[in-house]
Coordinates of all heavy atoms in Angstrom, one line a residue:
M1341 N -45.5 -85.0 -85.5 CA -44.2 -84.6 -86.0 C -43.9 -83.1 -85.7 O -44.7 -82.3 -85.9 CB -44.2 -84.9 -87.5 CG -42.9 -84.5 -88.2 SD -42.8 -84.8 -90.0 CE -42.1 -86.4 -89.9
R1342 N -42.7 -82.9 -85.3 CA -42.3 -81.5 -84.9 C -42.0 -80.7 -86.2 O -41.3 -81.2 -87.1 CB -41.1 -81.6 -84.0 CG -40.7 -80.3 -83.4 CD -39.6 -80.4 -82.4 NE -38.9 -79.2 -82.3 CZ -37.7 -79.0 -82.7 NH1 -37.0 -79.9 -83.2 NH2 -37.2 -77.8 -82.7
E1343 N -42.5 -79.5 -86.3 CA -42.2 -78.7 -87.4 C -40.8 -78.2 -87.4 O -40.3 -77.7 -86.4 CB -43.2 -77.5 -87.4 CG -43.2 -76.6 -88.6 CD -44.3 -75.6 -88.7 OE1 -45.4 -76.0 -88.6 OE2 -44.0 -74.4 -88.8
P1344 N -40.1 -78.2 -88.6 CA -38.7 -77.7 -88.6 C -38.7 -76.3 -88.3 O -39.6 -75.5 -88.5 CB -38.4 -77.9 -90.1 CG -39.3 -78.9 -90.6 CD -40.6 -78.7 -89.8
D1345 N -37.5 -75.9 -87.7 CA -37.3 -74.5 -87.3 C -36.8 -73.7 -88.6 O -35.6 -73.7 -88.8 CB -36.3 -74.4 -86.2 CG -36.1 -73.0 -85.7 OD1 -37.0 -72.1 -86.0 OD2 -35.1 -72.7 -85.0
I1346 N -37.7 -73.1 -89.3 CA -37.3 -72.4 -90.5 C -37.8 -71.0 -90.4 O -38.9 -70.7 -90.0 CB -37.9 -73.1 -91.7 CG1 -37.4 -74.5 -91.9 CG2 -37.7 -72.3 -93.0 CD1 -37.8 -75.3 -93.1
S1347 N -36.9 -70.1 -90.7 CA -37.2 -68.7 -90.7 C -38.4 -68.3 -91.5 O -38.6 -68.9 -92.6 CB -36.0 -67.9 -91.2 OG -36.4 -66.5 -91.4
E1348 N -39.2 -67.5 -90.9 CA -40.4 -67.0 -91.6 C -40.1 -66.4 -93.0 O -40.8 -66.4 -93.9 CB -41.1 -66.0 -90.7 CG -42.6 -65.8 -90.9 CD -43.5 -67.1 -90.7 OE1 -43.2 -68.0 -89.9 OE2 -44.4 -67.1 -91.5
S1349 N -38.9 -65.8 -93.1 CA -38.5 -65.1 -94.3 C -38.2 -66.1 -95.5 O -38.3 -65.7 -96.6 CB -37.3 -64.2 -94.1 OG -36.2 -65.0 -93.8
I1350 N -37.9 -67.3 -95.2 CA -37.7 -68.3 -96.3 C -38.8 -69.3 -96.4 O -38.8 -70.1 -97.3 CB -36.3 -69.0 -96.2 CG1 -36.3 -69.8 -94.9 CG2 -35.2 -68.0 -96.3 CD1 -35.1 -70.8 -94.8
R1351 N -39.8 -69.2 -95.5 CA -41.0 -70.1 -95.6 C -41.8 -69.7 -96.7 O -42.2 -68.5 -96.8 CB -41.7 -70.0 -94.3 CG -42.7 -71.1 -94.0 CD -43.3 -70.9 -92.7 NE -42.4 -71.1 -91.6 CZ -42.5 -72.0 -90.7 NH1 -43.6 -72.8 -90.7 NH2 -41.6 -72.2 -89.8
P1352 N -42.2 -70.6 -97.7 CA -42.9 -70.1 -98.8 C -44.4 -69.7 -98.5 O -44.9 -70.3 -97.5 CB -42.9 -71.3 -99.8 CG -42.6 -72.5 -98.9 CD -41.9 -72.0 -97.7
S1353 N -44.9 -68.8 -99.3 CA -46.3 -68.5 -99.2 C -47.0 -69.4 -100.3 O -46.3 -69.8 -101.3 CB -46.6 -67.0 -99.5 OG -46.0 -66.3 -98.4
V1354 N -48.3 -69.6 -100.2 CA -49.0 -70.4 -101.2 C -50.2 -69.5 -101.6 O -50.9 -68.9 -100.8 CB -49.6 -71.7 -100.6 CG1 -50.4 -72.4 -101.6 CG2 -48.4 -72.5 -100.1
V1355 N -50.4 -69.5 -103.0 CA -51.5 -68.9 -103.6 C -52.3 -70.0 -104.3 O -51.7 -70.7 -105.1 CB -51.1 -67.8 -104.6 CG1 -52.3 -67.3 -105.4 CG2 -50.4 -66.6 -103.9
V1356 N -53.5 -70.1 -104.0 CA -54.4 -71.1 -104.7 C -55.4 -70.3 -105.5 O -56.1 -69.4 -105.0 CB -55.1 -72.0 -103.7 CG1 -56.0 -73.0 -104.4 CG2 -54.1 -72.7 -102.8
V1357 N -55.5 -70.6 -106.8 CA -56.5 -69.9 -107.7 C -57.7 -70.9 -107.8 O -57.5 -72.1 -108.1 CB -55.9 -69.6 -109.0 CG1 -56.9 -69.0 -110.0 CG2 -54.7 -68.6 -108.9
T1358 N -58.9 -70.3 -107.7 CA -60.1 -71.1 -107.9 C -61.1 -70.4 -108.7 O -61.1 -69.1 -108.7 CB -60.7 -71.5 -106.5 OG1 -61.8 -72.4 -106.7 CG2 -61.3 -70.3 -105.8
W1359 N -61.9 -71.1 -109.4 CA -63.0 -70.6 -110.2 C -64.4 -71.0 -109.5 O -65.3 -70.2 -109.4 CB -63.0 -71.0 -111.6 CG -64.0 -70.5 -112.5 CD1 -65.2 -71.1 -112.9 CD2 -64.0 -69.2 -113.1 NE1 -65.9 -70.2 -113.7 CE2 -65.2 -69.1 -113.8 CE3 -63.2 -68.1 -113.1 CZ2 -65.6 -67.9 -114.6 CZ3 -63.5 -67.0 -113.9 CH2 -64.7 -66.9 -114.6
N1360 N -64.4 -72.2 -109.1 CA -65.7 -72.8 -108.6 C -65.7 -73.0 -107.1 O -66.8 -73.2 -106.5 CB -66.0 -74.1 -109.2 CG -66.4 -74.0 -110.7 OD1 -67.1 -73.0 -111.1 ND2 -66.0 -74.9 -111.5
G1361 N -64.6 -73.0 -106.4 CA -64.5 -73.3 -105.0 C -65.0 -74.7 -104.7 O -64.7 -75.6 -105.4
G1362 N -65.8 -74.8 -103.7 CA -66.5 -76.1 -103.4 C -65.5 -77.2 -102.9 O -64.5 -76.9 -102.4
P1363 N -65.9 -78.5 -103.2 CA -65.1 -79.6 -102.7 C -63.7 -79.7 -103.2 O -62.8 -80.0 -102.4 CB -65.9 -80.8 -103.3 CG -67.3 -80.3 -103.6 CD -67.1 -78.9 -103.9
L1364 N -63.4 -79.3 -104.4 CA -62.0 -79.3 -104.9 C -61.1 -78.4 -104.1 O -60.1 -78.7 -103.6 CB -61.9 -78.9 -106.4 CG -62.3 -79.9 -107.4 CD1 -62.2 -79.3 -108.8 CD2 -61.5 -81.2 -107.3
L1365 N -61.6 -77.1 -103.9 CA -60.8 -76.2 -103.1 C -60.7 -76.6 -101.7 O -59.6 -76.5 -101.1 CB -61.5 -74.8 -103.2 CG -60.8 -73.7 -102.3 CD1 -59.4 -73.5 -102.8 CD2 -61.6 -72.4 -102.4
R1366 N -61.8 -77.1 -101.1 CA -61.7 -77.6 -99.7 C -60.7 -78.7 -99.5 O -59.9 -78.7 -98.6 CB -63.1 -78.1 -99.2 CG -63.2 -78.5 -97.8 CD -64.6 -78.8 -97.3 NE -65.4 -79.6 -98.1 CZ -66.4 -79.1 -98.9 NH1 -66.7 -77.9 -98.9 NH2 -67.1 -79.9 -99.7
E1367 N -60.6 -79.6 -100.4 CA -59.6 -80.7 -100.3 C -58.2 -80.2 -100.5 O -57.3 -80.6 -99.7 CB -59.9 -81.8 -101.4 CG -59.1 -83.0 -101.2 CD -59.6 -84.1 -102.2 OE1 -60.5 -84.0 -103.0 OE2 -58.9 -85.2 -102.2
C1368 N -58.0 -79.2 -101.4 CA -56.7 -78.6 -101.5 C -56.3 -77.9 -100.2 O -55.2 -78.0 -99.7 CB -56.7 -77.6 -102.7 SG -55.2 -76.7 -103.0
V1369 N -57.2 -77.0 -99.7 CA -56.9 -76.3 -98.5 C -56.7 -77.2 -97.3 O -55.7 -77.0 -96.5 CB -58.0 -75.3 -98.2 CG1 -57.9 -74.7 -96.8 CG2 -58.0 -74.2 -99.2
D1370 N -57.5 -78.2 -97.2 CA -57.3 -79.2 -96.1 C -55.9 -79.8 -96.2 O -55.2 -80.0 -95.1 CB -58.3 -80.3 -96.1 CG -59.7 -79.8 -95.6 OD1 -59.8 -78.7 -95.1 OD2 -60.7 -80.5 -95.8
A1371 N -55.4 -80.2 -97.4 CA -54.1 -80.8 -97.5 C -53.0 -79.8 -97.2 O -52.0 -80.1 -96.6 CB -53.9 -81.3 -99.0
L1372 N -53.2 -78.5 -97.5 CA -52.3 -77.5 -97.2 C -52.2 -77.2 -95.7 O -51.2 -77.0 -95.1 CB -52.6 -76.2 -97.9 CG -52.3 -76.2 -99.4 CD1 -52.9 -75.0 -100.1 CD2 -50.8 -76.3 -99.7
R1373 N -53.3 -77.4 -95.0 CA -53.4 -77.2 -93.5 C -52.7 -78.4 -92.8 O -52.4 -78.2 -91.6 CB -54.8 -77.0 -93.1 CG -55.4 -75.7 -93.5 CD -56.8 -75.5 -93.1 NE -57.3 -74.1 -93.3 CZ -58.5 -73.8 -93.4 NH1 -59.5 -74.7 -93.2 NH2 -58.9 -72.5 -93.6
R1374 N -52.5 -79.5 -93.5 CA -51.9 -80.7 -92.9 C -50.4 -80.7 -93.2 O -49.7 -81.7 -92.9 CB -52.6 -81.9 -93.4 CG -54.0 -82.2 -92.9 CD -54.5 -83.6 -93.2 NE -54.5 -83.8 -94.6 CZ -55.6 -83.6 -95.4 NH1 -56.7 -83.2 -94.9 NH2 -55.5 -83.9 -96.7
Q1375 N -49.8 -79.7 -93.8 CA -48.4 -79.7 -94.2 C -47.5 -79.8 -92.9 O -47.8 -79.2 -91.9 CB -48.1 -78.5 -94.9 CG -48.7 -78.4 -96.3 CD -48.2 -79.5 -97.2 OE1 -47.0 -79.6 -97.5 NE2 -49.1 -80.3 -97.6
T1376 N -46.4 -80.6 -93.1 CA -45.4 -80.7 -92.0 C -44.7 -79.3 -91.8 O -44.2 -79.1 -90.7 CB -44.4 -81.8 -92.2 OG1 -43.8 -81.6 -93.5 CG2 -45.1 -83.2 -92.2
L1377 N -44.6 -78.6 -92.8 CA -44.1 -77.2 -92.8 C -45.2 -76.3 -93.3 O -45.5 -76.3 -94.4 CB -42.8 -77.1 -93.6 CG -42.2 -75.7 -93.7 CD1 -41.7 -75.2 -92.3 CD2 -41.1 -75.6 -94.7
Q1378 N -45.7 -75.5 -92.4 CA -46.8 -74.6 -92.7 C -46.3 -73.4 -93.6 O -45.2 -72.9 -93.3 CB -47.5 -74.0 -91.5 CG -48.4 -75.1 -90.8 CD -49.5 -75.6 -91.6 OE1 -50.4 -74.8 -92.1 NE2 -49.6 -76.8 -91.9
P1379 N -47.1 -73.0 -94.6 CA -46.7 -71.8 -95.4 C -46.7 -70.5 -94.5 O -47.4 -70.4 -93.5 CB -47.7 -71.8 -96.5 CG -48.9 -72.5 -96.0 CD -48.4 -73.5 -95.0
A1380 N -45.9 -69.6 -95.0 CA -45.9 -68.3 -94.4 C -47.3 -67.6 -94.5 O -47.8 -66.9 -93.6 CB -44.9 -67.4 -95.0
S1381 N -48.0 -67.8 -95.6 CA -49.3 -67.4 -95.8 C -50.0 -68.3 -96.8 O -49.4 -68.9 -97.6 CB -49.4 -65.9 -96.2 OG -48.9 -65.8 -97.6
L1382 N -51.3 -68.3 -96.7 CA -52.2 -69.0 -97.7 C -53.2 -68.1 -98.2 O -54.1 -67.6 -97.4 CB -52.8 -70.3 -97.0 CG -53.8 -71.0 -97.8 CD1 -53.3 -71.5 -99.2 CD2 -54.4 -72.2 -97.0
I1383 N -53.2 -67.8 -99.5 CA -54.1 -66.8 -100.1 C -54.9 -67.6 -101.1 O -54.3 -68.2 -102.0 CB -53.4 -65.6 -100.7 CG1 -52.7 -64.9 -99.6 CG2 -54.4 -64.7 -101.4 CD1 -51.7 -63.8 -100.1
V1384 N -56.2 -67.5 -101.1 CA -57.1 -68.0 -102.2 C -57.6 -66.9 -103.0 O -58.1 -65.9 -102.5 CB -58.2 -68.8 -101.6 CG1 -59.2 -69.2 -102.7 CG2 -57.7 -70.0 -100.8
V1385 N -57.3 -67.0 -104.3 CA -57.8 -66.0 -105.2 C -59.0 -66.5 -106.0 O -58.9 -67.6 -106.7 CB -56.7 -65.5 -106.2 CG1 -57.3 -64.5 -107.2 CG2 -55.5 -65.0 -105.5
V1386 N -60.2 -65.9 -105.8 CA -61.4 -66.3 -106.6 C -61.4 -65.5 -107.9 O -61.5 -64.3 -107.8 CB -62.6 -66.1 -105.7 CG1 -63.9 -66.5 -106.5 CG2 -62.6 -66.8 -104.4
A1387 N -61.3 -66.2 -109.0 CA -61.0 -65.6 -110.3 C -62.3 -65.0 -110.9 O -62.3 -64.6 -112.1 CB -60.4 -66.6 -111.2
R1388 N -63.4 -64.8 -110.1 CA -64.6 -64.2 -110.6 C -65.4 -63.6 -109.5 O -65.1 -63.9 -108.3 CB -65.5 -65.3 -111.3 CG -65.9 -66.4 -110.4 CD -66.7 -67.4 -111.1 NE -67.4 -68.3 -110.3 CZ -68.3 -69.2 -110.7 NH1 -68.7 -69.2 -111.9 NH2 -68.8 -70.0 -109.8
P1389 N -66.2 -62.7 -109.8 CA -66.9 -62.0 -108.7 C -68.1 -62.7 -108.1 O -68.6 -62.3 -107.0 CB -67.4 -60.7 -109.4 CG -67.6 -61.0 -110.8 CD -66.5 -62.1 -111.1
D1390 N -68.6 -63.7 -108.8 CA -69.8 -64.4 -108.3 C -69.6 -65.2 -107.0 O -68.5 -65.6 -106.7 CB -70.2 -65.5 -109.3 CG -70.3 -64.9 -110.7 OD1 -70.9 -63.8 -110.9 OD2 -69.8 -65.6 -111.7
P1391 N -70.6 -65.2 -106.1 CA -70.4 -66.0 -104.9 C -70.2 -67.5 -105.1 O -70.9 -68.1 -106.0 CB -71.7 -65.8 -104.1 CG -72.6 -64.9 -105.0 CD -71.9 -64.7 -106.3
I1392 N -69.2 -68.1 -104.4 CA -69.0 -69.5 -104.5 C -68.7 -70.0 -103.1 O -68.3 -69.3 -102.3 CB -67.8 -69.8 -105.5 CG1 -66.5 -69.2 -105.0 CG2 -68.1 -69.4 -106.9 CD1 -65.2 -69.6 -105.7
P1393 N -68.9 -71.3 -102.9 CA -68.6 -71.9 -101.6 C -67.1 -71.9 -101.3 O -66.3 -72.4 -102.1 CB -69.2 -73.3 -101.7 CG -69.4 -73.6 -103.1 CD -69.4 -72.3 -103.9
L1394 N -66.7 -71.4 -100.2 CA -65.3 -71.3 -99.7 C -65.2 -71.9 -98.3 O -66.1 -71.7 -97.5 CB -64.9 -69.8 -99.7 CG -64.9 -69.1 -101.1 CD1 -64.6 -67.6 -100.9 CD2 -63.8 -69.7 -102.0
P1395 N -64.1 -72.5 -98.1 CA -63.8 -73.0 -96.7 C -63.6 -71.7 -95.8 O -63.3 -70.6 -96.3 CB -62.5 -73.7 -96.8 CG -62.3 -74.1 -98.2 CD -63.0 -73.0 -99.0
T1396 N -63.8 -71.9 -94.5 CA -63.7 -70.8 -93.6 C -62.3 -70.6 -93.2 O -61.4 -71.5 -93.3 CB -64.6 -71.0 -92.3 OG1 -64.2 -72.2 -91.7 CG2 -66.1 -71.1 -92.7
G1397 N -62.0 -69.4 -92.6 CA -60.7 -69.1 -92.1 C -59.6 -68.9 -93.1 O -58.4 -69.2 -92.8
L1398 N -59.9 -68.4 -94.2 CA -58.9 -68.2 -95.3 C -58.8 -66.7 -95.6 O -59.7 -65.9 -95.5 CB -59.3 -68.9 -96.6 CG -59.4 -70.4 -96.6 CD1 -59.9 -70.9 -97.9 CD2 -57.9 -70.9 -96.4
E1399 N -57.6 -66.4 -96.1 CA -57.4 -65.0 -96.7 C -57.9 -65.2 -98.1 O -57.3 -65.9 -98.9 CB -56.0 -64.6 -96.6 CG -55.8 -63.2 -97.2 CD -54.3 -62.7 -97.0 OE1 -53.5 -63.3 -96.3 OE2 -54.0 -61.7 -97.6
V1400 N -58.9 -64.5 -98.5 CA -59.5 -64.6 -99.8 C -59.5 -63.3 -100.5 O -59.8 -62.2 -99.9 CB -61.0 -65.1 -99.7 CG1 -61.7 -65.1 -101.1 CG2 -61.1 -66.5 -99.0
I1401 N -59.1 -63.3 -101.8 CA -59.1 -62.2 -102.6 C -60.1 -62.5 -103.7 O -59.9 -63.5 -104.5 CB -57.8 -61.8 -103.3 CG1 -56.8 -61.5 -102.2 CG2 -57.9 -60.7 -104.3 CD1 -55.3 -61.3 -102.7
R1402 N -61.2 -61.8 -103.8 CA -62.2 -62.0 -104.8 C -62.1 -61.0 -105.9 O -62.1 -59.7 -105.6 CB -63.6 -61.9 -104.2 CG -64.7 -62.3 -105.1 CD -66.1 -62.2 -104.5 NE -66.2 -63.1 -103.3 CZ -66.5 -64.4 -103.4 NH1 -66.7 -65.0 -104.6 NH2 -66.6 -65.2 -102.4
C1403 N -61.9 -61.4 -107.1 CA -61.7 -60.5 -108.3 C -63.0 -59.8 -108.5 O -64.1 -60.4 -108.5 CB -61.2 -61.3 -109.5 SG -59.6 -62.0 -109.3
S1404 N -62.9 -58.5 -108.9 CA -64.1 -57.7 -109.1 C -64.7 -58.0 -110.5 O -65.9 -57.7 -110.8 CB -63.8 -56.2 -109.0 OG -62.8 -55.9 -109.9
E1405 N -64.0 -58.7 -111.4 CA -64.5 -59.1 -112.7 C -63.7 -60.4 -113.0 O -62.7 -60.7 -112.4 CB -64.2 -58.1 -113.8 CG -62.8 -57.7 -113.9 CD -62.7 -56.5 -114.9 OE1 -63.4 -55.5 -114.8 OE2 -61.9 -56.7 -115.9
A1406 N -64.3 -61.2 -113.9 CA -63.7 -62.5 -114.3 C -62.3 -62.3 -114.7 O -62.0 -61.4 -115.5 CB -64.5 -63.2 -115.3
Q1407 N -61.4 -63.1 -114.2 CA -60.0 -63.1 -114.6 C -59.5 -64.4 -115.1 O -60.0 -65.5 -114.7 CB -59.1 -62.8 -113.3 CG -59.4 -61.5 -112.7 CD -58.9 -60.3 -113.5 OE1 -57.9 -60.3 -114.2 NE2 -59.7 -59.2 -113.5
G1408 N -58.5 -64.5 -115.9 CA -57.9 -65.7 -116.3 C -56.9 -66.2 -115.2 O -56.7 -65.5 -114.2
Y1409 N -56.4 -67.3 -115.4 CA -55.5 -67.9 -114.4 C -54.3 -67.1 -114.2 O -53.9 -66.8 -113.0 CB -55.1 -69.3 -114.9 CG -54.3 -70.1 -113.9 CD1 -54.9 -70.7 -112.8 CD2 -52.9 -70.2 -113.9 CE1 -54.2 -71.4 -111.8 CE2 -52.1 -70.8 -113.0 CZ -52.8 -71.4 -111.9 OH -52.1 -72.1 -111.0
A1410 N -53.6 -66.6 -115.2 CA -52.3 -65.8 -115.0 C -52.6 -64.5 -114.3 O -51.9 -64.2 -113.4 CB -51.7 -65.6 -116.4
A1411 N -53.7 -63.8 -114.7 CA -54.0 -62.6 -114.0 C -54.3 -62.8 -112.5 O -53.9 -62.1 -111.6 CB -55.2 -61.9 -114.7
S1412 N -55.0 -63.9 -112.2 CA -55.4 -64.3 -110.8 C -54.1 -64.6 -110.0 O -54.0 -64.2 -108.9 CB -56.3 -65.5 -110.8 OG -57.5 -65.1 -111.5
V1413 N -53.2 -65.3 -110.7 CA -51.9 -65.6 -110.0 C -51.2 -64.3 -109.7 O -50.6 -64.2 -108.6 CB -51.0 -66.5 -110.9 CG1 -49.6 -66.6 -110.4 CG2 -51.6 -67.9 -111.0
N1414 N -51.1 -63.4 -110.6 CA -50.5 -62.1 -110.4 C -51.1 -61.3 -109.2 O -50.4 -60.7 -108.4 CB -50.5 -61.3 -111.6 CG -49.5 -61.8 -112.7 OD1 -48.6 -62.5 -112.4 ND2 -49.7 -61.4 -113.9
I1415 N -52.4 -61.4 -109.1 CA -53.1 -60.7 -108.0 C -52.7 -61.3 -106.7 O -52.4 -60.7 -105.7 CB -54.6 -60.8 -108.2 CG1 -55.0 -59.9 -109.4 CG2 -55.4 -60.4 -107.0 CD1 -56.4 -60.1 -109.9
G1416 N -52.7 -62.7 -106.6 CA -52.3 -63.4 -105.4 C -50.8 -63.1 -105.1 O -50.5 -62.9 -103.9
A1417 N -50.0 -63.1 -106.1 CA -48.5 -62.9 -105.8 C -48.3 -61.5 -105.3 O -47.5 -61.3 -104.4 CB -47.7 -63.1 -107.1
A1418 N -49.0 -60.5 -105.8 CA -48.8 -59.2 -105.3 C -49.3 -59.0 -103.9 O -48.8 -58.2 -103.1 CB -49.6 -58.2 -106.2
A1419 N -50.2 -59.8 -103.4 CA -50.7 -59.7 -102.1 C -49.9 -60.6 -101.1 O -50.1 -60.5 -99.9 CB -52.2 -60.2 -102.0
S1420 N -49.0 -61.4 -101.6 CA -48.2 -62.3 -100.7 C -47.0 -61.6 -100.2 O -46.5 -60.7 -100.8 CB -47.7 -63.5 -101.6 OG -48.8 -64.2 -102.0
P1421 N -46.5 -62.1 -99.0 CA -45.3 -61.5 -98.5 C -44.1 -61.8 -99.4 O -44.2 -62.8 -100.2 CB -45.1 -62.3 -97.2 CG -46.3 -63.0 -96.9 CD -47.1 -63.1 -98.2
S1422 N -43.1 -61.0 -99.4 CA -41.9 -61.3 -100.2 C -41.3 -62.6 -99.8 O -41.4 -63.0 -98.6 CB -40.9 -60.2 -100.2 OG -40.4 -60.1 -98.9
G1423 N -40.7 -63.3 -100.7 CA -40.1 -64.6 -100.5 C -40.6 -65.7 -101.4 O -41.3 -65.4 -102.4
P1424 N -40.2 -66.9 -101.2 CA -40.6 -68.0 -102.0 C -42.1 -68.1 -102.2 O -42.9 -67.8 -101.2 CB -40.1 -69.2 -101.4 CG -39.0 -68.8 -100.4 CD -39.4 -67.4 -100.0
L1425 N -42.6 -68.4 -103.3 CA -44.0 -68.5 -103.6 C -44.4 -69.8 -104.3 O -43.7 -70.2 -105.3 CB -44.4 -67.3 -104.4 CG -45.9 -67.1 -104.8 CD1 -46.7 -66.9 -103.5 CD2 -46.1 -65.9 -105.7
I1426 N -45.4 -70.4 -103.8 CA -46.0 -71.6 -104.5 C -47.3 -71.3 -105.0 O -48.2 -70.7 -104.3 CB -46.1 -72.8 -103.5 CG1 -44.7 -73.2 -102.9 CG2 -46.8 -74.0 -104.1 CD1 -44.7 -74.2 -101.8
I1427 N -47.5 -71.6 -106.3 CA -48.8 -71.3 -107.0 C -49.5 -72.7 -107.2 O -48.9 -73.6 -107.8 CB -48.6 -70.6 -108.3 CG1 -47.8 -69.3 -108.1 CG2 -49.9 -70.3 -109.0 CD1 -48.4 -68.3 -107.3
L1428 N -50.7 -72.8 -106.8 CA -51.5 -74.0 -107.0 C -52.8 -73.8 -107.6 O -53.5 -72.7 -107.3 CB -51.7 -74.8 -105.7 CG -50.4 -75.3 -105.0 CD1 -50.8 -75.9 -103.6 CD2 -49.6 -76.2 -105.8
N1429 N -53.3 -74.7 -108.4 CA -54.7 -74.7 -108.9 C -55.5 -75.4 -107.8 O -55.0 -76.2 -107.0 CB -54.8 -75.4 -110.2 CG -56.0 -75.1 -111.0 OD1 -56.6 -74.0 -110.8 ND2 -56.4 -76.0 -111.8
D1430 N -56.8 -75.1 -107.7 CA -57.6 -75.7 -106.6 C -57.8 -77.2 -106.7 O -58.3 -77.8 -105.8 CB -59.0 -75.0 -106.5 CG -59.8 -75.1 -107.7 OD1 -59.4 -75.8 -108.7 OD2 -60.9 -74.6 -107.7
D1431 N -57.4 -77.8 -107.8 CA -57.6 -79.3 -107.9 C -56.3 -80.0 -107.5 O -56.2 -81.2 -107.7 CB -58.1 -79.7 -109.3 CG -57.1 -79.4 -110.4 OD1 -56.1 -78.7 -110.1 OD2 -57.3 -79.8 -111.5
T1432 N -55.4 -79.3 -106.9 CA -54.1 -79.9 -106.4 C -54.3 -80.3 -105.0 O -54.9 -79.6 -104.1 CB -53.0 -78.8 -106.4 OG1 -52.9 -78.3 -107.8 CG2 -51.7 -79.4 -106.0
V1433 N -53.8 -81.6 -104.7 CA -53.9 -82.1 -103.3 C -52.4 -82.5 -103.0 O -52.0 -83.6 -103.2 CB -54.8 -83.3 -103.2 CG1 -54.9 -83.8 -101.7 CG2 -56.2 -82.9 -103.6
P1434 N -51.7 -81.6 -102.4 CA -50.3 -81.9 -102.1 C -50.1 -82.8 -100.9 O -50.9 -82.8 -100.0 CB -49.7 -80.5 -101.7 CG -50.9 -79.7 -101.3 CD -52.1 -80.2 -102.0
D1435 N -49.1 -83.7 -101.1 CA -48.7 -84.6 -100.0 C -48.3 -83.8 -98.8 O -47.9 -82.6 -98.9 CB -47.5 -85.5 -100.4 CG -47.9 -86.5 -101.4 OD1 -49.1 -86.9 -101.5 OD2 -47.0 -86.9 -102.2
P1436 N -48.4 -84.4 -97.6 CA -48.1 -83.6 -96.3 C -46.7 -83.0 -96.2 O -46.6 -82.0 -95.5 CB -48.3 -84.7 -95.2 CG -49.2 -85.7 -95.8 CD -48.9 -85.7 -97.3
D1437 N -45.8 -83.5 -96.9 CA -44.4 -82.9 -96.9 C -44.1 -82.1 -98.1 O -42.9 -81.8 -98.4 CB -43.4 -84.1 -96.7 CG -43.4 -85.1 -97.8 OD1 -44.3 -85.1 -98.7 OD2 -42.4 -85.9 -97.8
F1438 N -45.1 -81.8 -98.9 CA -44.9 -81.0 -100.1 C -44.1 -79.7 -99.9 O -43.1 -79.5 -100.6 CB -46.2 -80.7 -100.8 CG -46.1 -79.8 -102.0 CD1 -45.7 -80.2 -103.2 CD2 -46.6 -78.5 -101.9 CE1 -45.6 -79.4 -104.3 CE2 -46.5 -77.6 -103.0 CZ -46.0 -78.1 -104.2
I1439 N -44.5 -78.9 -99.0 CA -43.8 -77.6 -98.8 C -42.4 -77.8 -98.2 O -41.5 -77.2 -98.5 CB -44.7 -76.7 -97.9 CG1 -45.9 -76.3 -98.6 CG2 -43.9 -75.5 -97.4 CD1 -46.9 -75.5 -97.8
Q1440 N -42.3 -78.8 -97.3 CA -41.0 -79.0 -96.6 C -40.0 -79.5 -97.7 O -38.9 -79.2 -97.7 CB -41.2 -80.1 -95.5 CG -39.9 -80.3 -94.7 CD -40.2 -81.2 -93.6 OE1 -41.3 -81.5 -93.3 NE2 -39.2 -81.6 -92.9

């Protein structure tokens, strides 16, 4: 399927917050990579400083101390380009046309 011609300035960015990483995060990221309309950016915020399993090829922000969900969302939002923003928890598996 051909990707719609949508300006980068209105293409949403996606922030995914995770605590444990692993299979849940991998499934979420895989679903985001299969979107018919790719996000302007995909940022994963790890809400704690401990090492956790993460998929490769991601922009990752690792918090220096344990953060709650809202604080982690704010960190990811601040690092995102301006424009529409989608916030997801790592146990979300969006349908392929979710962003579109």
Side-chain angles (χ1 to χ4, degrees):
M1341 176 179 268
R1342 190 171 155 249
E1343 188 170 302
D1345 184 20
I1346 295 182
S1347 167
E1348 207 55 37
S1349 65
I1350 62 168
R1351 195 177 292 240
S1353 295
V1354 177
V1355 172
V1356 178
V1357 176
T1358 189
W1359 183 262
N1360 291 322
L1364 284 178
L1365 177 63
R1366 185 173 42 256
E1367 193 172 352
C1368 177
V1369 167
D1370 287 348
L1372 289 167
R1373 288 178 173 162
R1374 290 190 301 267
Q1375 291 296 299
T1376 56
L1377 176 64
Q1378 288 295 302
S1381 68
L1382 171 58
I1383 299 171
V1384 172
V1385 179
V1386 179
R1388 64 183 188 169
D1390 310 314
I1392 61 170
L1394 298 170
T1396 59
L1398 293 174
E1399 181 177 350
V1400 175
I1401 299 172
R1402 185 177 300 278
C1403 296
S1404 59
E1405 57 186 51
Q1407 299 290 323
Y1409 186 79
S1412 298
V1413 166
N1414 288 338
I1415 290 167
S1420 297
S1422 63
L1425 184 62
I1426 297 171
I1427 307 295
L1428 298 176
N1429 201 25
D1430 64 359
D1431 63 352
T1432 307
V1433 182
D1435 288 335
D1437 62 349
F1438 172 73
I1439 293 176
Q1440 188 174 350

